[in-house]
Amino acid sequence: MLIRKLFKFENAHIVRNCSSERCRTSIHGHSYKVEVLLEADALDNGQMVYDFGLMKGTIRDVIDAFDHAICFWDKDDAQYIQLCQTFSARWISMPVSPSAEQFARVFFVIIDQLLQQTMMANGESAVRLHSIIAHETETGYAQAFRHDAYNPRMGEIKLSDVIFSEQCQREWHDPKMYEKLLAGAQFNNPVIPQQV
């Protein structure tokens, strides 16, 4: 069974080397919608694949870090990167271009690792990240599956190469969350007393 949770954020970028002149030469923004699709072959103690409320923790924090931020490819012009970091408190450096396709892949890699490092506590059974859909506009979106997220032909994404500004990190429920993720720390879902 599949479930999907929708998140929204506003973000600015330049997509270098793309066909659209405006997109490759000017900073511009989008109202993004990101769908996180989870799957499982069994339901938890609450008769759910995964409680939507649990997705309001670290998963939402990661996606919310992109809100009112500027994203840039770490291979872009050094002066441009410097200016992004100087004039925006909220920025994210990515090892790939900030296209809708790469947003979907970056979110997949981060959320997949978060789920792998999360100790389930309410009977969740082999919950897996199915895919990520990144809507850049009302009519255009990209959907990344597992084989896309880890496909080196689309650009390697290492968690350590996705860098969040200090301001983005400060606004997380746990400002050390990404540091803990990189270190392989365990995240714990709450233990729920059974009512039935």
Side-chain angles (χ1 to χ4, degrees):
M1 179 175 284
L2 284 177
I3 61 169
R4 59 176 73 194
K5 175 84 172 160
L6 179 70
F7 300 88
K8 298 177 181 180
F9 65 92
E10 309 293 326
N11 190 272
H13 66 176
I14 293 178
V15 182
R16 300 297 188 192
N17 306 328
C18 72
S19 299
S20 303
E21 182 178 2
R22 288 183 180 183
C23 294
R24 72 174 180 265
T25 59
S26 298
I27 297 172
H28 61 284
H30 297 282
S31 296
Y32 287 90
K33 295 177 185 173
V34 171
E35 295 181 66
V36 177
L37 286 80
L38 302 181
E39 65 180 336
D41 297 325
L43 302 177
D44 68 9
N45 293 332
Q47 304 290 286
M48 302 173 176
V49 167
Y50 197 70
D51 195 312
F52 287 127
L54 294 174
M55 297 173 76
K56 295 178 182 177
T58 54
I59 291 174
R60 180 172 64 186
D61 275 352
V62 165
I63 296 171
D64 186 62
F66 288 76
D67 186 49
H68 286 75
I70 187 164
C71 290
F72 52 82
W73 189 359
D74 64 10
K75 293 177 179 52
D76 209 319
D77 180 83
Q79 184 179 11
Y80 170 68
I81 291 173
Q82 173 73 43
L83 290 170
C84 289
Q85 294 173 327
T86 300
F87 292 102
S88 181
R90 297 177 58 78
W91 54 263
I92 299 162
S93 176
M94 296 171 46
V96 290
S97 181
S99 63
E101 291 83 350
Q102 297 293 25
F103 272 137
R105 295 181 69 235
V106 165
F107 286 131
F108 192 106
V109 170
I110 296 171
I111 293 169
D112 188 43
Q113 193 62 43
L114 277 170
L115 285 172
Q116 289 180 39
Q117 289 176 216
T118 296
M119 178 63 64
M120 305 296 174
N122 194 29
E124 298 91 349
S125 179
V127 177
R128 299 170 303 281
L129 181 56
H130 174 271
S131 61
I132 298 286
I133 302 173
H135 299 258
E136 188 171 87
T137 66
E138 285 298 313
T139 60
Y141 67 86
Q143 184 168 10
F145 297 88
R146 182 169 302 280
H147 60 273
D148 303 314
Y150 300 105
N151 181 349
R153 294 180 62 209
M154 294 185 184
E156 185 176 11
I157 299 171
K158 293 180 183 174
L159 290 176
S160 58
D161 291 337
V162 180
I163 301 170
F164 297 89
S165 71
E166 289 182 19
Q167 183 63 38
C168 289
Q169 294 178 54
R170 270 199 299 271
E171 293 181 20
W172 288 332
H173 289 95
D174 178 358
K176 301 286 186 187
M177 180 265 294
Y178 205 71
E179 185 180 317
K180 292 176 181 177
L181 182 68
L182 294 176
Q186 180 175 295
F187 298 90
N188 296 306
N189 282 347
V191 176
I192 306 300
Q194 299 304 297
Q195 299 165 295
V196 179

